């Protein structure tokens, strides 16, 4: 998987190995695998975590897990708590869209404020396929059928080559 990860990054010119990358980490398996792959490549990373305060103790446990992982591995860590439900009500949007808006705006802010070139998310091939079909069934035009871009402004998605199954096998 590490070799495929490296090849994907080079093929799509996602970043240079000397750049600092901020990894968006929820604590889920795909995010932890992405973190492990970056560490094995020797890339200088930081971890960023959003606590959307939507699942009570579970949200807090995810935050604590990522915090402890970062501390144990001596990785810079940034966390922010969001009142997602209030934001969604204020903007009259779904909770999912509110969380997306909040996290991407904050990630952009942190990349610009801190010493990082990009932030990375752990979207993978299964997410890519799901996005394609969602767009198709919504009746999007040709431009909407592209799915998730591998690189957009200062956001990179280095796991788009990997299926959920590959990620789980790697984690085992």
């Amino acid at each position: 998987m590490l070799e495929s990860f490296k090849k994907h990054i080079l093929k799509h010119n996602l970043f240079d190995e000397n750049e600092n990358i901020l990894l968006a980490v929820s604590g889920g398996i795909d995010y932890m695998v992405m973190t492990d792959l970056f560490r094995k490549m020797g890339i200088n990373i930081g971890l960023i975590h959003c606590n959307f305060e939507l699942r009570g103790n579970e949200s807090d446990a995810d935050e604590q897990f990522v915090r402890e992982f970062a501390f144990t591995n001596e990785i810079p860590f940034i966390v922010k708590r969001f009142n997602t439900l209030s934001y969604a009500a204020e903007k009259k949007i779904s909770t999912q869209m509110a969380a997306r808006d909040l996290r991407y705006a904050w990630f952009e802010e942190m990349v610009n404020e801190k010493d990082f070139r990009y932030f990375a998310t752990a979207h993978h091939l299964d997410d890519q396929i799901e996005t394609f079909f969602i767009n198709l069934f919504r009746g999007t035009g040709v431009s909407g059928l592209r799915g998730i871009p591998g690189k957009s402004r200062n956001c990179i998605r280095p796991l788009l080559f990997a299926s959920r199954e590959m990620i789980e096998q790697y984690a085992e």
Side-chain angles (χ1 to χ4, degrees):
M1 178 104 157
L2 181 59
E3 285 308 310
S4 296
F5 184 71
K6 289 178 184 178
K7 285 178 186 175
H8 179 77
I9 289 166
L10 285 171
K11 178 180 177 182
H12 297 283
N13 193 29
L14 295 183
F15 62 90
D16 293 327
E17 289 187 28
N18 61 344
E19 292 176 311
N20 299 332
I21 311 294
L22 192 57
L23 307 183
V25 178
S26 68
I29 189 171
D30 39 359
Y31 291 91
M32 299 313 293
V33 164
M34 177 181 71
T35 302
D36 186 66
L37 292 167
F38 269 97
R39 291 180 68 225
K40 285 183 175 166
M41 277 187 66
I43 304 298
N44 189 30
I45 60 171
L47 303 185
I48 190 165
H49 177 81
C50 298
N51 184 333
F52 295 109
E53 299 183 341
L54 295 171
R55 297 177 296 118
N57 291 337
E58 287 181 45
S59 293
D60 295 340
D62 289 344
E63 177 185 328
Q64 188 60 30
F65 172 73
V66 177
R67 181 185 306 281
E68 288 174 10
F69 178 85
F71 178 78
T72 300
N73 292 282
E74 300 178 351
I75 303 170
F77 177 69
I78 308 165
V79 65
K80 184 169 183 175
R81 291 173 167 257
F82 295 96
N83 189 334
T84 311
L85 294 177
S86 285
Y87 181 85
E90 175 188 322
K91 299 292 183 184
K92 296 180 174 58
I93 57 177
S94 70
T95 304
Q96 184 177 4
M97 286 306 300
R100 184 186 189 286
D101 291 353
L102 290 166
R103 76 176 164 263
Y104 278 96
W106 184 54
F107 294 164
E108 293 278 345
E109 179 184 331
M110 289 298 96
V111 164
N112 292 325
E113 186 178 301
K114 307 293 182 183
D115 187 27
F116 293 95
R117 175 68 177 98
Y118 297 104
F119 68 90
T121 67
H123 289 98
H124 49 77
L125 185 58
D126 294 33
D127 297 321
Q128 180 78 293
I129 293 167
E130 179 183 340
T131 299
F132 174 85
F133 281 108
I134 288 170
N135 289 342
L136 178 66
F137 293 132
R138 282 186 182 155
T140 186
V142 173
S143 64
L145 295 179
R146 291 179 297 187
I148 303 169
K151 188 175 190 177
S152 176
R153 298 175 27 159
N154 48 3
C155 174
I156 58 172
R157 297 175 180 95
L159 286 182
L160 287 178
F161 73 94
S163 67
R164 175 74 179 193
E165 182 180 358
M166 288 171 62
I167 290 166
E168 289 172 352
Q169 287 175 353
Y170 178 82
E172 287 176 15

